[in-house]
Amino acid sequence: MDNERARISGIREKLLSWLQTYGKATLQLEQLIALFEHDSVQYREFAEAVAALETEGLLVPVGAAGRNGKRPSLANRYRVGTGKLNRDYRHRLQQLRLALHPDIGLDAYFGLGEAILEADLPWLERIDRRLRTEGLPREPANAPERSFELAGDEKWLTEGGGRAVLERIGLWDKLLVQPAYEPLMLAVNTALLASAPSDGACLHLIVENKTTFHALLPVLGETSFHTLIYGCGNKIVGNIGLFPQQVPLPGRTSVFYYFGDIDHSGIGIWQEVAARCGAIPALPFYEACLSRPWPSGKTNQPRRDGAVEEFAGYFPPEQRDRLHACLRAGGYYPQETLTTQELRSIWRNGLWKAWKPLT
């Protein structure tokens, strides 16, 4: 008898969980039956679970639709008693709010439904225990470390949905999870770096694409630059922060130049990198590109008008006008506009100075 009651209770909970996410006012009995098509459930136990939900006012029979004629009989159609359903769910959340650590916020669950709460609850209970014994962390930690502390699984935050749980309960920022950026990919001009004055300036060139990096790498030692950095598109925005750790230059000033595609995306990347390390456009490369006819084909990129205006401010008026005309026409300049030999010649012989915007 106890086993039978447990089975009926389990069926009821599954039905209740489904009803929490059901978005319509009425449903057919067949929809409830379909939930158990792959389960070994006896009709009598299923009917008792449905009848329990009727008694609780969570399912209201639609009399005009008739009943199914089985014993015990069930209505062919039901109206969902959402008011009662919501009241029970809200009461449960309110009880949980009193039981869990006060730093665990539950507001998001009022609009998400009980199924998501049920899935998250084991994690909430685990986080609750952690907060009660250790409190909020005072020092940042990388995602795998923090993930292991909270869940006993170093991949829970990044691959197991853990970040979404923490954001739902308002704890992501409070847990001081440090971004785990990819290592910065770069080449070092060791001879120049060794001979540079201990308080001098060091020059670094960031290039957006791999092709340009490989084209320039063989002549790094023939330039006045101390490093050549591969930006790898948007990745540079995050991993440029690792530069001081990967290339420690105590007492020296670092000047970063950036060369990427001339389009809304490439200029947007430059702006974000500039905000992090003060990178300035590598004008000799860009000016050489702007001296050529532009190809078409970038009409669908999201516009970055603010970034374009900031970028254009480094160019003299004639080139600035050409830049704007190119982008308005849906044109662009990939870094591959310049041949390998042209890139190398410009890098060796270009006038490299810390330009300031002209406007």
Side-chain angles (χ1 to χ4, degrees), residues 123 126-127 130-131 145-153 156-157 166 175 177:
W123 303 114
R126 185 158 190 156
I127 293 166
R130 172 76 185 182
L131 291 178
E145 180 182 342
R146 189 69 81 222
S147 184
F148 190 78
E149 288 176 1
L150 294 171
D153 177 357
W156 178 64
L157 285 178
L166 293 180
L175 288 174
V177 181

Side-chain angles (χ1 to χ4, degrees), residues 12-317:
R12 178 193 170 280
E13 288 302 316
K14 184 170 182 176
L15 290 168
L16 185 59
S17 179
W18 182 81
L19 286 171
Q20 294 285 357
T21 61
Y22 185 68
K24 298 181 180 179
T26 62
L27 58 84
Q28 301 294 328
L29 176 62
E30 287 79 3
Q31 291 174 265
L32 300 180
I33 294 172
L35 297 175
F36 300 91
E37 61 181 350
H38 300 300
D39 297 338
S40 201
V41 172
Q42 296 180 15
Y43 172 78
R44 183 174 55 79
E45 293 173 346
F46 169 78
E48 288 194 26
V50 173
L53 294 176
E54 287 186 35
T55 302
E56 296 170 42
L58 300 176
L59 288 175
V60 181
V62 177
R67 300 187 74 83
N68 67 351
K70 295 185 178 181
R71 292 186 179 179
S73 70
L74 296 173
N76 289 320
R77 192 175 185 187
Y78 286 95
R79 186 169 66 254
V80 181
T82 53
K84 178 69 161 56
L85 197 67
N86 289 337
R87 282 198 302 274
D88 287 352
Y89 180 47
R90 292 177 71 85
H91 178 70
R92 184 183 181 195
L93 284 173
Q94 288 159 359
Q95 293 299 111
L96 274 175
R97 183 177 275 163
L98 295 173
L100 295 175
H101 191 281
D103 280 315
I104 298 176
L106 298 178
D107 288 354
Y109 293 98
F110 283 91
L112 292 174
E114 198 161 7
I116 294 177
L117 175 66
E118 286 296 335
D120 288 358
L121 194 55
W123 303 114
L124 303 190
E125 291 171 343
R126 185 158 190 156
I127 293 166
D128 173 69
R129 291 193 295 270
R130 172 76 185 182
L131 291 178
R132 291 185 186 281
T133 57
E134 305 290 338
L136 290 169
R138 297 180 180 180
E139 298 292 333
N142 59 46
E145 180 182 342
R146 189 69 81 222
S147 184
F148 190 78
E149 288 176 1
L150 294 171
D153 177 357
E154 71 280 6
K155 296 181 180 179
W156 178 64
L157 285 178
T158 54
E159 299 177 21
R163 175 166 184 165
V165 173
L166 293 180
E167 287 177 342
R168 278 196 282 275
I169 62 178
L171 274 182
W172 175 254
D173 293 333
K174 294 180 181 179
L175 288 174
L176 307 181
V177 181
Q178 215 168 33
Y181 294 119
E182 293 289 332
L184 194 62
M185 292 174 275
L186 55 84
V188 177
N189 188 344
T190 53
L192 184 61
L193 200 60
S195 63
S198 60
D199 58 351
C202 294
L203 307 186
H204 316 284
L205 176 63
I206 303 167
V207 295
E208 181 180 339
N209 298 333
K210 187 186 297 184
T211 302
T212 308
F213 178 86
H214 284 298
L216 292 174
L217 181 58
V219 298
L220 170 59
E222 303 170 30
T223 74
S224 58
F225 281 74
H226 296 77
T227 67
L228 174 64
I229 302 168
Y230 170 40
C232 195
N234 275 305
K235 286 188 177 181
I236 187 64
V237 176
N239 61 23
I240 191 62
L242 295 176
F243 183 85
Q245 295 170 258
Q246 291 186 233
V247 188
L249 298 169
R252 301 181 188 182
T253 301
S254 284
V255 179
F256 293 91
Y257 295 84
Y258 186 86
F259 177 43
D261 295 339
I262 300 179
D263 56 21
H264 281 278
S265 176
I267 294 172
I269 295 171
W270 162 77
Q271 185 188 47
E272 293 184 61
V273 174
R276 288 179 174 263
C277 68
I280 54 181
L283 288 191
F285 291 119
Y286 286 119
E287 289 173 339
C289 290
L290 287 167
S291 69
R292 314 286 173 85
W294 64 71
S296 299
K298 290 295 179 79
T299 56
N300 295 324
Q301 280 192 342
R303 296 179 63 88
R304 300 289 298 271
D305 293 335
V308 170
E309 286 302 317
E310 185 179 347
F311 181 75
Y314 285 86
F315 293 83

